[in-house]
Amino acid sequence: MNSLLRCSRVRTASSLLKTAPSSRRFLATEIDANTDAKPEKRVRKDFTQRLNNGPSFSDFASSSAPLTPAEAMEKAQSKAAKARLPRWLKTDIPVGKEVSRIRKTLRELKLHTVCEEARCPNMGECWGGGKHGTATATIMIMGDTCTRGCRFCSVKTSKTPGALDANEPQNVARALAAWGLDYVVLTSVDRDDLPDFGSAHFAETVRSIREQAPQMMIECLTPDFLGRADLIEPVAQSGLDVYAHNIETVEGLQRLVRDHRANYKQSMFVLEHVKRTKPTLLTKSSIMLGVGETDAEVMQTMRDLRTAGVDIVTLGQYMRPTKRHMKVHEYVTPEKFAHWEKIGSELGFVYAASGPLVRSSYKAGEFFISEILRKRASASMRNVAA
């Protein structure tokens, strides 16, 4: 019985094999055994077709006729002209014995100047005395690293700068006395990491200069001290001649240009409070042009400065220190700067300096400020004698 079943199963299986259509298997794909043609290479064919139907070289080349040599030269010169600075912004490289001597002393005493740190174009004229013979320098105290990051400034930044140098006030006074300068501007980086933002250090440096060089005229270009009146007052009462704080730009561009901790109203308060603290003190501020401001905004800023009691205003061209800083929006012409200088006089500023290369501590400005201070001192002495 079992042998019969096995035989029937063998016959059944063999009969199925005989009756099944002739086929073969190639992996998982069935191919008709009667077809001798090979499978088409569709991937390669499709790619070739898409490539042939795609863009040609002419789609990437200009449809216009090629430039003539003269046209190509003119186009290249036009691009070069756009990249170059206007002629009125070109200055000589600062060189000379006086410049070398001051640099040597700075390195020996480990002092910094904003002239070098900010790459000022007037450095050679200021340090050498210029045509008026009033030699000046702008010393940057409290280190060379700032806790803020304004988009126009090339000074190094860090949240945690190094500790203050306790000997700096004496070193600065000693250097200035040795140089025999007529006028000095003390400025500093922002030090938001310090409890008093550096106010006491600023005031101590002024007092040290007064002791070692009593005849020297001192201007302080200060930070905003975050608008704290108790920190503004010690500097205003330290014995300086001019208190300067820069508004930098018009109100509408403050956030674009300055660090977020600085603002228009805060800077105006600093200048107003200095006048309230010591009304006889000359106050000064500076505006950068060429960062996107309008004439109406500049006019309003100058009016606001006069309302705050500011005596001296300077206006100068913003110059991009590096490609990492904000771009120059416009190179303002000398004629436009002359217009703003005239407006400054009409608004009642004691002195207005306006020009492409003018900076907040510009050499020519210091000469005229020196004359104002000397006249005031002479008048005071005459009043005492009378």
Side-chain angles (χ1 to χ4, degrees), residues 140-187:
M140 189 166 69
I141 61 175
M142 297 195 286
D144 63 348
T145 306
C146 188
T147 54
R148 298 188 185 181
C150 297
R151 295 187 63 211
F152 64 88
C153 184
S154 63
V155 175
K156 292 183 291 186
T157 61
S158 173
K159 291 182 180 179
T160 55
L164 293 181
D165 180 2
N167 298 320
E168 186 176 53
Q170 290 297 323
N171 286 341
V172 169
R174 194 181 311 121
L176 294 175
W179 290 342
L181 298 175
D182 306 292
Y183 193 107
V184 65
V185 180
L186 288 182
T187 188

Side-chain angles (χ1 to χ4, degrees), residues 273-341:
H273 193 70
V274 169
K275 273 294 184 184
R276 284 195 294 267
T277 303
K278 193 174 180 181
T280 58
L281 197 59
L282 283 176
T283 52
K284 178 181 175 184
S285 194
S286 184
I287 306 170
M288 288 185 300
L289 300 185
V291 297
E293 70 288 334
T294 65
D295 287 357
E297 288 176 316
V298 176
M299 177 64 83
Q300 186 59 53
T301 303
M302 294 178 75
R303 285 175 176 156
D304 290 343
L305 289 172
R306 278 304 296 138
T307 302
V310 173
D311 301 295
I312 302 159
V313 65
T314 62
L315 299 94
Q317 172 70 51
Y318 165 63
M319 303 281 282
R320 191 183 190 187
T322 70
K323 291 183 179 180
R324 292 181 286 106
H325 294 80
M326 66 177 187
K327 294 181 179 179
V328 176
H329 184 271
E330 174 192 9
Y331 288 116
V332 181
T333 64
E335 292 75 20
K336 193 68 173 180
F337 277 109
H339 164 75
W340 291 123
E341 186 167 319

Side-chain angles (χ1 to χ4, degrees), residues 76-98:
Q77 289 174 346
S78 176
K79 287 183 177 180
K82 289 180 181 179
R84 293 193 190 112
L85 287 175
R87 64 184 185 282
W88 59 81
L89 289 173
K90 294 179 181 179
T91 59
D92 296 328
I93 297 172
V95 293
K97 291 182 179 179
E98 191 64 17

